[in-house]
Amino acid sequence: MRKPKSRPRPKKTTPEPSQADAQKQLDSFLAKYTPEIEAFACRALAKMRKLVPGAIEMVYDNYNWLVIGFSPSERPSEAIFSIVLPPGAVTLCFLQGAGLPDPGGLLRGSGNVVRNIRLYTSGEPDAKLLDDPEVLSLINVALNRAKVPMPARARRKLIIRAVSARQRPRRKAR
């Protein structure tokens, strides 16, 4: 006896929030941090937006921290950079950074894929690393070596990909 063929169910789609709504949501995620971290993160995001103007920004407000990824497409696996906010810090991750030349020894990490630079730690002076020529060179090399290149004339798009219902505190305990 043959089983009747099942019909594919239509995918449920939720309407995508407007860019203004997505920005408001990102602002609310950043507001969970101390004013000092929030202000630095906003400056770091503005700088990254100038460096990769056509990037798709994917936001993940996870259990442990807030992550804003910069990708040439909506595929997370193609992301090149991310700004990561653990409590009390702001980090720039090079998501395809394991093979990057790093003569200045700025990159941290020993995994097979990702490397990072701590841009800011709460209570320490801002080292202005996103203006440092060595860091800018690393960003440029990462863009040139990316598996999928950033589109030349694309428009920036902000997408809220995930929001965890349960989260660790975003501010360090005093």
Side-chain angles (χ1 to χ4, degrees), residues 53-56 151 153-157:
I56 304 291
R153 300 202 191 299
R155 291 183 53 163
R156 171 183 166 258
K157 184 176 180 183

Side-chain angles (χ1 to χ4, degrees), residues 66-82:
L66 176 62
V67 178
I68 302 105
F70 294 83
S71 178
S73 72
E74 292 187 27
R75 297 185 67 186
S77 62
E78 294 175 354
I80 302 169
F81 307 105
S82 66

Side-chain angles (χ1 to χ4, degrees), residues 98-116:
L100 289 178
D102 183 21
L106 297 173
L107 295 174
R108 301 180 336 168
S110 58
N112 293 331
V113 181
V114 178
R115 296 289 182 272
N116 70 79

Side-chain angles (χ1 to χ4, degrees), residues 42-109:
C42 288
R43 288 193 307 272
L45 287 170
K47 181 72 173 185
M48 288 301 293
R49 287 171 180 156
K50 285 181 182 173
L51 294 171
V52 286
I56 304 291
E57 294 176 36
M58 294 177 281
V59 178
Y60 300 84
D61 194 20
N62 294 327
Y63 176 76
N64 286 316
W65 43 47
L66 176 62
V67 178
I68 302 105
F70 294 83
S71 178
S73 72
E74 292 187 27
R75 297 185 67 186
S77 62
E78 294 175 354
I80 302 169
F81 307 105
S82 66
I83 298 284
V84 179
L85 286 88
V90 179
T91 302
L92 172 63
C93 290
F94 292 79
L95 301 176
Q96 302 170 21
L100 289 178
D102 183 21
L106 297 173
L107 295 174
R108 301 180 336 168

